[in-house]
Amino acid sequence: MENNKSNNPLHGITLQKMVEQLEVIYGFENLGERINIKCFKENPSVKSSLTFLRKTEWARKKVEQLYIKTLLKLNKHL
């Protein structure tokens, strides 16, 4: 079980932290273009996005995938 945690890039990362970091990197306008969900396009905020993402698994998965992809891209440039 310990091995699974170390291989999971999302281990220890909260949904709030993901949304906040993606918003800093992309801004809500670009997030709305990358992930076509209303909470990023209409009156976006971290709070409203979290409310939606916590209830909607498919959207949360898309955010997680973008977060991982972004981390990999950033780590490649380091």
Side-chain angles (χ1 to χ4, degrees):
M1 185 141 185
E2 184 71 31
N3 193 23
N4 288 340
K5 290 179 184 176
S6 63
N7 290 334
N8 182 353
L10 298 178
H11 178 71
I13 306 294
T14 64
L15 183 59
Q16 181 173 351
K17 187 172 181 178
M18 280 187 258
V19 172
E20 289 172 345
Q21 289 181 341
L22 289 171
E23 194 275 324
V24 167
I25 293 167
Y26 297 110
F28 279 118
E29 186 175 327
N30 284 330
L31 272 175
E33 291 173 9
R34 291 173 182 273
I35 305 172
N36 188 18
I37 52 177
K38 192 174 179 178
C39 68
F40 292 154
K41 293 184 167 202
E42 295 182 19
N43 299 317
S45 72
V46 172
K47 184 178 179 182
S48 66
S49 298
L50 289 172
T51 300
F52 176 75
L53 293 169
R54 286 180 178 135
K55 294 178 185 176
T56 315
E57 187 175 347
W58 66 265
R60 185 174 60 251
K61 294 287 183 200
K62 288 185 179 249
V63 169
E64 290 171 350
Q65 289 170 349
L66 178 61
Y67 184 79
I68 291 170
K69 184 177 172 183
T70 302
L71 277 182
L72 292 172
K73 222 184 269 188
L74 290 175
N75 287 334
K76 199 181 263 190
H77 293 302
L78 294 178

